Amino acid sequence: MRRSTVLRDVAFAVGVLAILSVLPFVFPGRHFSDFVIRMSAFAVFATSLNLLIGYGGMVSFGHGLFYGLGAYSFALLMQKAGTSIPMAFLLTMLISAGVATLIGAICIRLKEIYFSFLTLAFQMLVHSLIIAWTPLTGGDQGLTGGVPRPPFLGIRLDDPHHLYLFCCFVLVASLFVMYHFVQSPFGYTLRMIRDNPRRVGFLGIQVWRIRLLAFVVAGIFGSVGGLLMSLFVSSAYPDFAYWTISGEGVFMVLMGGIGVFLGPLVGAVVLLLLSDIVTGLTEYFGLVLGVVILCFALGLRKGLLGTLWEAWRDRRRAGAGLAAGKH
Amino acid sequence: MLRIENLRKSFGGVSAMNGVSLNFAEGSLTAIIGPNGAGKTTFFNLVTGAFKPDAGTILLGDEDIAGLSPPEVVRRGMARAFQIASIYPTLTVRESIFGAVNAHRGWHARLGRRFPLAEAKAQADEVMELVKLDSRADTVSGYLSHGDQKLLDIALALALEPRVLLLDEPTAGMGPEERWQMIETVHALWERKHMTLIFIEHDMDIVFRYAQTIRVLSYGTVLAEGTPDEVRQHPKVIEAYLGSHFEHTDSR
């Protein structure tokens, strides 16, 4: 990769981080920072799911497994092992990588709906394990006693502002890494597999290896989403590993736009806004969400950002065509 | 270069390949012909690892590649294009070719670099120029014409710099003019790249004009083989496939 490209991307990421860090002064109060923290958790999770769906053509119905795994692994490491936050962060990613390798090795050999339902089956297995293993996980009550947040490198995550900045940093860093992942030769091989796996095999590529690596990377970042949420709520609950989390992830991807990298981020913002606003007005959130999803399925199949992106691209092409016609 | 001995394959109780033995010399240009259901595509599928043979050997150089998977066969120097163009519909021509070059060079799993790799450019440009797709490099493959999609399919195989290239009906679904353009492009590729090229074709004018040697398959067996003149006059071929009134004419 050219040094200038990396520097440009780093500068962009630093710029976004700088803007995020001053926003709490523009929007004071906990409501805004809490929203951004929750959005960070879901955006990292949904973007990781989009690596599978949008770039790999692997529609996982069980990606919430890694969200729950991340939340429980991190919380338990902090509670029971008393590790530092950076160490627990790293170990959580390693645990997720290990679990994703095991589950992925089985799932990625299946195609389409079979892959989808096998991932769902593994998620429900983990959810059942969390419910059943009460001495460790707290069962259906979730972990009790809170997640310790000892300071590290001068960062105190029990301070809401520090937690906000930390979550913003993890969000930007995760998106940065995943963006470079999809822009790498590996990312394009993944797109080729999404389009035509058989043809990829006839290019001399072992398709399952690429799929497995994508599954592992997606699993790692899916767990980072859960980790952020466990930091925010200072606990972990079985719902984090329930199938509805996977469903919400899929909705975020669809609402934002499958074919656009930042689509899931937009989807996370929209879904959380919708949730916060609608639940304040009516108890029938599910009904409203259903109508919204229906609208997207019928009229905005490319998602919000996907539709805008296509409109911009078509307009630019039309402009280029007109310019060429003048010569 | 490619030697097949006693190749057999059955699907259920139906014998699709019944003890086929064929030899393809290095650098040769061979057409495989035969009626529908003769086993031509099955032959390609067996040779390239899409199907595992029940028996027989497939020697690529000195190595028996029978039973290897398609990626393993490709890694040993064999590539193919398909009867129905097999491409990446959402990627542009350029992205598809760069992807194929990456696969050939073993760069397809690189994470620390940005696509496309500068070092793949020379080969990607050459391949696009060879199949005359350089002017449509930024076109999304799914929007290409049928003929251009077939060319892209061939280009993907060419990017692998194969020793043996198999083309399954490169002119299928094309109009008369387009067919001749396609086969002339294929012929020019063969001359320039000095590879062993085997193609399945139904257009007898094309076959008898361009092929150095012809193999005729029928019901999973080799009915005849030889030069175009030998095959044209072979009684069994005339009876089973060409018909007694067949005459080779240049239909352009």
Side-chain angles (χ1 to χ4, degrees):
Chain A
M1 198 183 309
R2 283 184 197 143
R3 189 177 291 271
S4 60
T5 313
V6 180
L7 286 176
R8 190 193 64 197
D9 292 346
V10 169
F12 182 75
V14 170
V16 170
L17 207 51
I19 293 168
L20 284 170
S21 64
V22 297
L23 281 180
F25 300 105
V26 182
F27 304 102
R30 287 290 296 274
H31 186 76
F32 175 78
S33 58
D34 285 358
F35 179 86
V36 173
I37 291 169
R38 287 160 57 223
M39 183 274 290
S40 300
F42 280 117
V44 173
F45 168 67
T47 305
S48 73
L49 177 59
N50 197 35
L51 296 181
L52 294 179
I53 297 178
Y55 292 92
M58 294 179 272
V59 183
S60 172
F61 287 165
H63 198 57
L65 179 161
F66 296 104
Y67 189 84
L69 185 68
Y72 272 93
S73 300
F74 180 75
L76 285 168
L77 281 164
M78 294 306 298
Q79 262 194 0
K80 312 276 184 191
T83 54
S84 68
I85 285 176
M87 182 55 73
F89 201 115
L90 189 67
L91 287 174
T92 297
M93 291 171 82
L94 284 174
I95 290 166
S96 303
V99 173
T101 305
L102 284 175
I103 293 175
I106 299 166
C107 293
I108 52 104
R109 290 179 184 272
L110 298 179
K111 292 173 188 165
E112 297 160 3
I113 199 73
Y114 307 101
F115 168 82
S116 303
F117 277 95
L118 193 58
T119 54
L120 180 61
F122 273 112
Q123 165 158 22
M124 294 317 291
L125 187 73
V126 169
H127 180 258
S128 302
L129 195 68
I130 289 169
I131 296 283
W133 201 348
T134 309
L136 183 72
T137 63
D140 56 7
Q141 295 299 308
L143 282 175
T144 50
V147 175
R149 290 179 276 194
F152 66 98
L153 303 170
I155 301 166
R156 290 173 288 106
L157 294 185
D158 48 0
D159 178 322
H161 188 61
H162 280 212
L163 181 63
Y164 168 84
L165 290 175
F166 179 76
C167 289
C168 288
F169 173 78
V170 174
L171 168 69
V172 172
S174 299
L175 293 184
F176 180 86
V177 172
M178 284 191 273
Y179 180 70
H180 282 86
F181 179 84
V182 299
Q183 293 301 330
S184 68
F186 182 93
Y188 275 82
T189 305
L190 199 56
R191 288 171 177 85
M192 288 158 70
I193 290 172
R194 171 198 63 197
D195 275 15
N196 192 345
R198 183 167 178 253
R199 191 70 179 94
V200 174
F202 279 100
L203 292 182
I205 294 171
Q206 295 286 1
V207 170
W208 69 268
R209 285 186 191 164
I210 304 293
R211 277 187 167 146
L212 181 58
L213 184 52
F215 194 89
V216 171
V217 172
I220 290 169
F221 283 102
S223 76
V224 170
L227 182 157
L228 291 181
M229 189 53 84
S230 79
L231 263 174
F232 176 60
V233 299
S234 192
S235 186
Y237 302 103
D239 280 359
F240 290 178
Y242 199 48
W243 69 266
T244 48
I245 288 287
S246 300
E248 284 178 15
V250 173
F251 295 154
M252 287 172 197
V253 170
L254 292 177
M255 281 201 268
I258 286 179
V260 192
F261 180 75
L262 290 177
L265 173 86
V266 172
V269 173
V270 171
L271 193 69
L272 284 177
L273 275 176
L274 203 65
S275 165
D276 289 0
I277 294 167
V278 174
T279 47
L281 299 172
T282 172
E283 60 186 290
Y284 300 111
F285 171 64
L287 187 66
V288 175
L289 183 63
V291 172
V292 170
I293 290 166
L294 196 64
C295 291
F296 272 88
L298 294 175
L300 271 174
R301 296 182 76 173
K302 304 274 182 188
L304 275 176
L305 206 58
T307 305
L308 289 173
W309 164 255
E310 281 205 347
W312 177 79
R313 193 186 58 191
D314 292 345
R315 195 169 172 162
R316 199 178 61 160
R317 278 183 183 162
L322 279 176
K326 282 179 184 172
H327 291 291
Chain B
M1 171 53 63
L2 180 64
R3 200 164 80 242
I4 286 100
E5 289 169 2
N6 196 29
L7 193 64
R8 292 178 185 277
K9 180 70 182 177
S10 295
F11 297 100
V14 181
S15 178
M17 198 57 47
N18 198 10
V20 165
S21 296
L22 289 169
N23 193 14
F24 300 91
E26 186 167 1
S28 59
L29 176 60
T30 306
I32 295 183
I33 64 172
N36 287 330
K40 304 184 294 293
T41 300
T42 301
F43 175 73
F44 270 19
N45 284 334
L46 288 166
V47 170
T48 56
F51 297 156
K52 286 196 192 312
D54 298 335
T57 55
I58 303 167
L59 292 169
L60 180 62
D62 296 327
E63 187 181 5
D64 185 4
I65 60 167
L68 296 183
S69 67
E72 290 169 325
V73 171
V74 170
R75 287 267 163 235
R76 284 159 175 78
M78 191 180 302
R80 72 178 286 187
F82 294 81
Q83 188 177 350
I84 297 168
S86 187
I87 56 168
Y88 308 109
T90 69
L91 300 188
T92 65
V93 170
R94 190 192 305 280
E95 288 167 345
S96 304
I97 304 289
F98 267 91
V101 172
N102 283 348
H104 177 50
R105 303 280 175 194
W107 300 334
H108 58 278
R110 284 193 176 183
L111 284 165
R113 303 278 305 277
R114 181 166 285 196
F115 184 95
L117 298 173
E119 55 267 43
K121 186 176 183 304
Q123 194 193 339
D125 286 347
E126 189 205 355
V127 170
M128 283 189 283
E129 185 256 320
L130 273 173
V131 295
K132 303 184 180 86
L133 282 177
D134 40 351
S135 63
R136 285 174 285 279
D138 293 317
T139 304
V140 175
S141 306
Y143 296 147
L144 290 172
S145 68
H146 172 72
D148 285 346
Q149 289 191 358
K150 296 279 286 184
L151 281 171
L152 177 57
D153 193 9
I154 294 171
L156 293 174
L158 276 178
L160 306 175
E161 299 184 314
R163 290 187 287 161
V164 178
L165 177 62
L166 310 179
L167 304 180
D168 193 349
E169 296 195 39
T171 68
M174 295 180 176
E177 191 66 28
E178 218 180 1
R179 281 179 176 213
W180 286 102
Q181 283 172 7
M182 169 62 90
I183 203 65
E184 276 169 11
T185 304
V186 169
H187 190 256
L189 290 175
W190 171 72
E191 283 186 326
R192 191 158 152 184
K193 290 297 189 181
H194 311 293
M195 60 191 147
T196 307
L197 200 154
I198 307 165
F199 68 104
I200 294 172
E201 184 55 62
H202 280 294
D203 187 324
M204 290 305 114
D205 289 333
I206 285 174
V207 168
F208 285 101
R209 182 180 173 89
Y210 284 98
Q212 285 182 322
T213 58
I214 299 170
R215 309 284 191 270
V216 188
L217 294 185
S218 181
Y219 297 110
T221 59
V222 180
L223 194 68
E225 54 184 314
T227 64
D229 282 340
E230 288 166 348
V231 168
R232 189 184 291 121
Q233 289 157 18
H234 198 290
K236 281 186 183 171
V237 179
I238 292 169
E239 182 189 339
Y241 188 48
L242 296 179
S244 55
H245 301 296
F246 176 78
E247 277 183 38
H248 162 55
T249 53
D250 188 339
S251 64
R252 278 185 298 179

